[in-house]
Amino acid sequence: MTGDSLKIYRAKRDFRQTSEPEGRPAKKTKKSLPIFVIQKHDASRLHYDFRLEVKGVLKSWAVPKGLSSDPRDRRLAVQTEDHPLEYADFEGTIPKGEYGGGKVTLWDRGVYAAQGVEEALEKGHVVVWLKGKKAKGAYALIRIRSFRGKRDKSWLVVKMRDR
Ligand code: MN
């Protein structure tokens, strides 16, 4: 199940060329809070990869402008393939010509809290409480549906007002 989730990730990459992790099967039990990570990715277009640990993999979005701490900013977040959990530790330069070629650096990392994150992601509306060094507090991720009601890869990520 978890393995299938990384099929697209692996198919896009040549692990003889890139030092990115291939992805091991997820460990079964984990009691601590799930992690999140934001990696700055200086690819053909600079963006920030926002990743949330869900069921042993990293659900991932490419956020061109990165997360904002201002609730008035609605930032586009394009969902990308699930990444292996070890990817949270990846920093380095993916060779030019390889998928995602460019420099990856850690921008922030921490744990998050959310209620029923799997179901919420499926429904296209999830609230996560980030506990990072830069990204802190509640953020909503909202899937944008196309006008025909088809499922889309585009989401918005918006900081929620602190109470
Ligand atoms: Mn990226």
Side-chain angles (χ1 to χ4, degrees):
M1 204 163 76
T2 305
D4 284 343
S5 169
L6 296 175
K7 232 168 129 178
I8 300 168
Y9 171 86
R10 291 197 185 98
K12 284 173 184 273
R13 291 166 175 81
D14 181 350
F15 294 102
R16 292 165 301 182
Q17 304 298 330
T18 179
S19 57
E20 295 166 288
E22 227 168 312
R24 292 183 294 269
K27 288 169 191 158
K28 278 167 194 161
T29 53
K30 196 164 175 293
K31 284 169 190 167
S32 51
L33 283 171
I35 62 155
F36 83 91
V37 67
I38 300 171
Q39 285 154 321
K40 187 178 175 184
H41 189 177
D42 201 356
S44 50
R45 282 184 194 166
L46 176 71
H47 60 273
Y48 295 81
D49 288 302
F50 177 45
R51 311 188 197 280
L52 297 172
E53 178 186 358
V54 178
K55 272 211 141 183
V57 296
L58 295 170
K59 294 285 171 190
S60 299
W61 292 262
V63 186
K65 292 184 178 175
L67 271 65
S68 174
S69 56
D70 186 340
R72 291 169 297 187
D73 291 337
R74 288 141 52 103
R75 296 280 166 90
L76 178 69
V78 180
Q79 192 165 15
T80 57
E81 75 276 16
D82 293 351
H83 278 51
L85 204 49
E86 307 99 282
Y87 208 95
D89 298 319
F90 178 74
E91 282 192 296
T93 301
I94 301 164
K96 283 218 166 89
E98 294 302 308
Y99 179 72
K103 195 178 171 192
V104 176
T105 50
L106 182 69
W107 188 79
D108 197 12
R109 159 181 193 140
V111 294
Y112 77 94
Q115 283 193 329
V117 64
E118 269 179 84
E119 295 77 11
L121 284 172
E122 192 60 36
K123 285 178 184 162
H125 192 157
V126 63
V127 177
V128 291
W129 284 266
L130 303 181
K131 298 172 186 180
K133 285 179 180 157
K134 296 178 186 168
K136 292 173 187 181
Y139 282 82
L141 271 159
I142 303 140
R143 187 192 287 124
I144 309 167
R145 285 176 191 277
S146 76
F147 70 100
R148 282 176 183 159
K150 283 182 189 168
R151 185 165 287 194
D152 196 62
K153 288 182 176 179
S154 298
W155 295 62
L156 292 174
V157 59
V158 189
K159 177 76 173 67
M160 296 178 77
R161 286 179 198 283
D162 297 312
R163 289 188 182 170

